[in-house]
Amino acid sequence: AAQAREDVLGVVAHDLRNPLNVVTMTTQLFLEIEPSGEQRVKLLRAMQRAAGQMNRLINDLLEVVRLESGRLGLNLRNVEAGDILLQAKELCEQSAAESGVILEVRPVDPGAYVHADTERVLQVLGNLVGNALKFAGSGGRVTLGAAATSQYVVFSVADTGPGIAPEEVARLFDRFWQARTDRRGVGLGLTIARGIVEAHCGRIWVDSRVGDGATFYFTLPRAPGI
């Protein structure tokens, strides 16, 4: 427990410092020079981005606490897997366009219904797609899919990025672990995704080879009687 607290404090201190410094310095500039026009807009956008970074970090840390304490609430209902993928694509289209990545959804069997919390599943897909866009890079491709089995629906997020080294795969879902030599973000997205999937009695894993992209999979229970 003591080590876990030290880990959290270390991450918070490190990842909050930079955006907080941006806010502090930008505020000081406003006090000293009263910027106007294009410079004013540029400084305000920098402050907005910094505040967004801090807010995301705090929300992620709170989410991990909820997951580990078993206090994550789920609003379960029967929903079509294809509809969830289309919603995820709609939410991530702007980021994909800005990254120069093609984002597509494979056709899904219209009878593939899951018993799940749609908002939480979109949170999982958002984390996975966000990572995939980051590593696919400009000119790359990210593909969403879902396939039904007798008991589960298996969702997938595939990217055409550099792939993941075998020694990194085992640690991908650990707290604060950042794979593929990336150091952007705090490293909680995949931990949160795993917690949400496991709260649905599903599982999550990755299939990847270096130089050949990566595909993340997770299962959700099929809706009973559908």
Side-chain angles (χ1 to χ4, degrees), residues 135 157-169 172 180 205-217:
F135 291 107
V157 177
D159 68 63
T160 56
I164 309 170
E167 63 271 17
E168 293 181 333
V169 169
L172 272 180
R180 292 194 262 188
W205 71 98
V206 62
D207 181 18
S208 179
R209 289 185 298 177
V210 174
D212 197 27
T215 302
F216 283 81
Y217 298 93

Side-chain angles (χ1 to χ4, degrees), residues 7-8 11 15 60-61 64 131 134-135 163-192 194 206 216:
D7 289 344
V8 171
V11 167
D15 283 72
D60 282 352
L61 290 169
V64 169
N131 282 341
K134 183 167 57 179
F135 291 107
I164 309 170
E167 63 271 17
E168 293 181 333
V169 169
R171 299 195 61 187
L172 272 180
F173 299 97
D174 291 350
R175 286 192 307 171
F176 310 132
W177 174 253
Q178 296 156 318
R180 292 194 262 188
T181 65
D182 182 73
R183 289 298 177 266
R184 291 167 288 184
V186 71
L188 289 174
L190 291 179
T191 301
I192 293 168
R194 181 185 63 183
V206 62
F216 283 81

Side-chain angles (χ1 to χ4, degrees), residues 5-81:
R5 283 195 298 271
E6 288 183 15
D7 289 344
V8 171
L9 289 172
V11 167
V12 171
H14 180 270
D15 283 72
L16 281 180
R17 182 183 295 117
N18 287 341
L20 186 57
N21 283 341
V22 170
V23 172
T24 302
M25 290 186 293
T26 306
T27 303
Q28 188 64 34
L29 282 172
F30 269 95
L31 291 172
E32 292 177 354
I33 64 174
E34 294 187 17
S36 59
E38 185 177 341
Q39 185 182 22
R40 178 185 177 87
V41 172
K42 184 177 180 180
L43 290 172
L44 287 171
R45 284 178 176 168
M47 290 178 68
Q48 188 177 47
R49 286 193 299 270
Q53 285 179 312
M54 290 187 285
N55 191 50
R56 282 192 298 274
L57 171 59
I58 292 167
N59 285 338
D60 282 352
L61 290 169
L62 290 173
E63 199 80 312
V64 169
V65 170
R66 292 189 194 99
L67 288 166
E68 294 186 348
S69 65
R71 292 188 286 108
L72 181 72
L74 296 177
N75 181 23
L76 299 174
R77 64 185 184 91
N78 296 339
V79 57
E80 198 168 0

Side-chain angles (χ1 to χ4, degrees), residues 50-126:
Q53 285 179 312
M54 290 187 285
N55 191 50
R56 282 192 298 274
L57 171 59
I58 292 167
N59 285 338
D60 282 352
L61 290 169
L62 290 173
E63 199 80 312
V64 169
V65 170
R66 292 189 194 99
L67 288 166
E68 294 186 348
S69 65
R71 292 188 286 108
L72 181 72
L74 296 177
N75 181 23
L76 299 174
R77 64 185 184 91
N78 296 339
V79 57
E80 198 168 0
D83 285 346
I84 295 178
L85 292 183
L86 290 175
Q87 288 182 59
K89 181 177 184 289
E90 183 178 330
L91 289 171
C92 297
E93 275 181 327
Q94 183 61 38
S95 294
E98 292 173 356
S99 302
V101 177
I102 297 171
L103 180 61
E104 60 185 9
V105 177
R106 290 198 186 104
V108 180
D109 177 0
Y113 280 77
V114 293
H115 191 58
D117 184 323
T118 302
E119 295 303 318
R120 289 296 185 180
V121 178
L122 288 173
Q123 189 177 353
V124 173
L125 287 167

